mmCIF file of all heavy atoms in Angstrom:
data_model
loop_
_atom_site.group_PDB
_atom_site.id
_atom_site.type_symbol
_atom_site.label_atom_id
_atom_site.label_comp_id
_atom_site.label_asym_id
_atom_site.label_seq_id
_atom_site.Cartn_x
_atom_site.Cartn_y
_atom_site.Cartn_z
ATOM 1 N N MET S 1 21.448 -13.172 -46.830
ATOM 2 C CA MET S 1 21.490 -13.001 -45.408
ATOM 3 C C MET S 1 20.340 -12.091 -44.984
ATOM 4 O O MET S 1 20.047 -11.119 -45.655
ATOM 5 C CB MET S 1 22.817 -12.407 -44.979
ATOM 6 C CG MET S 1 24.036 -13.179 -45.448
ATOM 7 S SD MET S 1 25.392 -13.110 -44.290
ATOM 8 C CE MET S 1 25.201 -14.678 -43.523
ATOM 9 N N SER S 10 33.964 -18.488 -42.229
ATOM 10 C CA SER S 10 34.102 -19.813 -42.830
ATOM 11 C C SER S 10 35.270 -20.533 -42.158
ATOM 12 O O SER S 10 36.177 -19.884 -41.628
ATOM 13 C CB SER S 10 34.340 -19.690 -44.331
ATOM 14 O OG SER S 10 33.192 -19.170 -44.969
ATOM 15 N N ARG S 31 44.266 -15.476 -49.962
ATOM 16 C CA ARG S 31 44.058 -14.033 -50.035
ATOM 17 C C ARG S 31 43.978 -13.421 -48.647
ATOM 18 O O ARG S 31 43.708 -14.096 -47.662
ATOM 19 C CB ARG S 31 42.803 -13.704 -50.833
ATOM 20 C CG ARG S 31 41.543 -14.276 -50.225
ATOM 21 C CD ARG S 31 40.355 -14.112 -51.128
ATOM 22 N NE ARG S 31 39.603 -15.360 -51.040
ATOM 23 C CZ ARG S 31 38.496 -15.595 -51.678
ATOM 24 N NH1 ARG S 31 37.997 -14.706 -52.464
ATOM 25 N NH2 ARG S 31 37.878 -16.736 -51.536
ATOM 26 N N LEU S 76 24.438 -5.430 -43.374
ATOM 27 C CA LEU S 76 23.908 -6.375 -44.361
ATOM 28 C C LEU S 76 24.716 -6.342 -45.651
ATOM 29 O O LEU S 76 25.004 -7.394 -46.240
ATOM 30 C CB LEU S 76 22.435 -6.084 -44.633
ATOM 31 C CG LEU S 76 21.470 -6.484 -43.527
ATOM 32 C CD1 LEU S 76 20.081 -5.902 -43.791
ATOM 33 C CD2 LEU S 76 21.391 -7.995 -43.389
ATOM 34 N N ALA S 77 25.109 -5.155 -46.095
ATOM 35 C CA ALA S 77 25.872 -5.045 -47.339
ATOM 36 C C ALA S 77 27.242 -5.708 -47.203
ATOM 37 O O ALA S 77 27.659 -6.475 -48.079
ATOM 38 C CB ALA S 77 26.026 -3.579 -47.731
ATOM 39 N N LEU S 78 27.945 -5.424 -46.114
ATOM 40 C CA LEU S 78 29.259 -6.035 -45.900
ATOM 41 C C LEU S 78 29.154 -7.549 -45.831
ATOM 42 O O LEU S 78 29.896 -8.272 -46.509
ATOM 43 C CB LEU S 78 29.902 -5.504 -44.611
ATOM 44 C CG LEU S 78 31.190 -6.221 -44.205
ATOM 45 C CD1 LEU S 78 32.321 -5.901 -45.172
ATOM 46 C CD2 LEU S 78 31.574 -5.882 -42.780
ATOM 47 N N LEU S 79 28.223 -8.044 -45.020
ATOM 48 C CA LEU S 79 28.113 -9.493 -44.843
ATOM 49 C C LEU S 79 27.672 -10.183 -46.133
ATOM 50 O O LEU S 79 28.127 -11.285 -46.422
ATOM 51 C CB LEU S 79 27.185 -9.808 -43.677
ATOM 52 C CG LEU S 79 27.700 -9.328 -42.312
ATOM 53 C CD1 LEU S 79 26.696 -9.649 -41.215
ATOM 54 C CD2 LEU S 79 29.074 -9.905 -41.994
ATOM 55 N N ALA S 80 26.834 -9.541 -46.912
ATOM 56 C CA ALA S 80 26.426 -10.128 -48.199
ATOM 57 C C ALA S 80 27.629 -10.252 -49.139
ATOM 58 O O ALA S 80 27.800 -11.273 -49.804
ATOM 59 C CB ALA S 80 25.325 -9.283 -48.837
ATOM 60 N N ARG S 81 28.487 -9.218 -49.179
ATOM 61 C CA ARG S 81 29.676 -9.275 -50.045
ATOM 62 C C ARG S 81 30.633 -10.371 -49.584
ATOM 63 O O ARG S 81 31.167 -11.124 -50.399
ATOM 64 C CB ARG S 81 30.393 -7.919 -50.053
ATOM 65 C CG ARG S 81 29.678 -6.861 -50.868
ATOM 66 C CD ARG S 81 30.548 -5.621 -51.102
ATOM 67 N NE ARG S 81 31.140 -5.065 -49.904
ATOM 68 C CZ ARG S 81 30.582 -4.133 -49.127
ATOM 69 N NH1 ARG S 81 29.396 -3.657 -49.429
ATOM 70 N NH2 ARG S 81 31.228 -3.671 -48.069
ATOM 71 N N LEU S 82 30.849 -10.465 -48.280
ATOM 72 C CA LEU S 82 31.764 -11.488 -47.764
ATOM 73 C C LEU S 82 31.189 -12.886 -47.936
ATOM 74 O O LEU S 82 31.918 -13.835 -48.211
ATOM 75 C CB LEU S 82 32.094 -11.210 -46.297
ATOM 76 C CG LEU S 82 32.878 -9.912 -46.040
ATOM 77 C CD1 LEU S 82 33.065 -9.700 -44.547
ATOM 78 C CD2 LEU S 82 34.201 -9.911 -46.774
ATOM 79 N N HIS S 83 29.878 -13.017 -47.796
ATOM 80 C CA HIS S 83 29.210 -14.310 -48.007
ATOM 81 C C HIS S 83 29.355 -14.748 -49.453
ATOM 82 O O HIS S 83 29.647 -15.910 -49.745
ATOM 83 C CB HIS S 83 27.740 -14.202 -47.593
ATOM 84 C CG HIS S 83 27.011 -15.479 -47.645
ATOM 85 N ND1 HIS S 83 26.239 -15.854 -48.712
ATOM 86 C CD2 HIS S 83 26.946 -16.497 -46.742
ATOM 87 C CE1 HIS S 83 25.715 -17.049 -48.477
ATOM 88 N NE2 HIS S 83 26.128 -17.455 -47.289
ATOM 89 N N ALA S 84 29.181 -13.820 -50.378
ATOM 90 C CA ALA S 84 29.305 -14.131 -51.804
ATOM 91 C C ALA S 84 30.722 -14.595 -52.153
ATOM 92 O O ALA S 84 30.905 -15.396 -53.068
ATOM 93 C CB ALA S 84 28.925 -12.908 -52.650
ATOM 94 N N ARG S 85 31.712 -14.127 -51.402
ATOM 95 C CA ARG S 85 33.104 -14.517 -51.643
ATOM 96 C C ARG S 85 33.501 -15.769 -50.839
ATOM 97 O O ARG S 85 34.656 -16.194 -50.887
ATOM 98 C CB ARG S 85 34.033 -13.357 -51.271
ATOM 99 C CG ARG S 85 33.833 -12.174 -52.191
ATOM 100 C CD ARG S 85 34.606 -10.970 -51.750
ATOM 101 N NE ARG S 85 36.027 -11.152 -51.974
ATOM 102 C CZ ARG S 85 36.935 -10.234 -51.737
ATOM 103 N NH1 ARG S 85 36.568 -9.060 -51.258
ATOM 104 N NH2 ARG S 85 38.208 -10.465 -51.959
ATOM 105 N N GLY S 86 32.561 -16.325 -50.079
ATOM 106 C CA GLY S 86 32.840 -17.537 -49.318
ATOM 107 C C GLY S 86 33.617 -17.307 -48.043
ATOM 108 O O GLY S 86 34.146 -18.253 -47.469
ATOM 109 N N LEU S 87 33.672 -16.071 -47.582
ATOM 110 C CA LEU S 87 34.473 -15.766 -46.395
ATOM 111 C C LEU S 87 33.687 -15.886 -45.097
ATOM 112 O O LEU S 87 34.281 -16.016 -44.028
ATOM 113 C CB LEU S 87 35.070 -14.360 -46.526
ATOM 114 C CG LEU S 87 36.021 -14.190 -47.714
ATOM 115 C CD1 LEU S 87 36.397 -12.734 -47.910
ATOM 116 C CD2 LEU S 87 37.254 -15.060 -47.521
ATOM 117 N N ILE S 88 32.364 -15.825 -45.177
ATOM 118 C CA ILE S 88 31.530 -16.055 -44.013
ATOM 119 C C ILE S 88 30.410 -17.019 -44.378
ATOM 120 O O ILE S 88 30.086 -17.194 -45.561
ATOM 121 C CB ILE S 88 30.936 -14.763 -43.407
ATOM 122 C CG1 ILE S 88 30.027 -14.068 -44.412
ATOM 123 C CG2 ILE S 88 32.012 -13.846 -42.878
ATOM 124 C CD1 ILE S 88 29.181 -12.984 -43.782
ATOM 125 N N ARG S 89 29.843 -17.634 -43.364
ATOM 126 C CA ARG S 89 28.734 -18.574 -43.536
ATOM 127 C C ARG S 89 27.560 -18.126 -42.672
ATOM 128 O O ARG S 89 27.742 -17.435 -41.689
ATOM 129 C CB ARG S 89 29.140 -19.979 -43.121
ATOM 130 C CG ARG S 89 30.146 -20.592 -44.034
ATOM 131 C CD ARG S 89 30.348 -22.015 -43.668
ATOM 132 N NE ARG S 89 31.231 -22.625 -44.655
ATOM 133 C CZ ARG S 89 31.564 -23.889 -44.622
ATOM 134 N NH1 ARG S 89 31.119 -24.663 -43.647
ATOM 135 N NH2 ARG S 89 32.355 -24.387 -45.534
#
Side-chain angles (χ1 to χ4, degrees):
M1 305 213 101
S10 293
R31 61 188 139 179
L76 287 169
L78 172 70
L79 296 178
R81 286 192 309 270
L82 295 176
H83 185 263
R85 294 173 72 177
L87 298 171
I88 62 167
R89 292 188 174 182

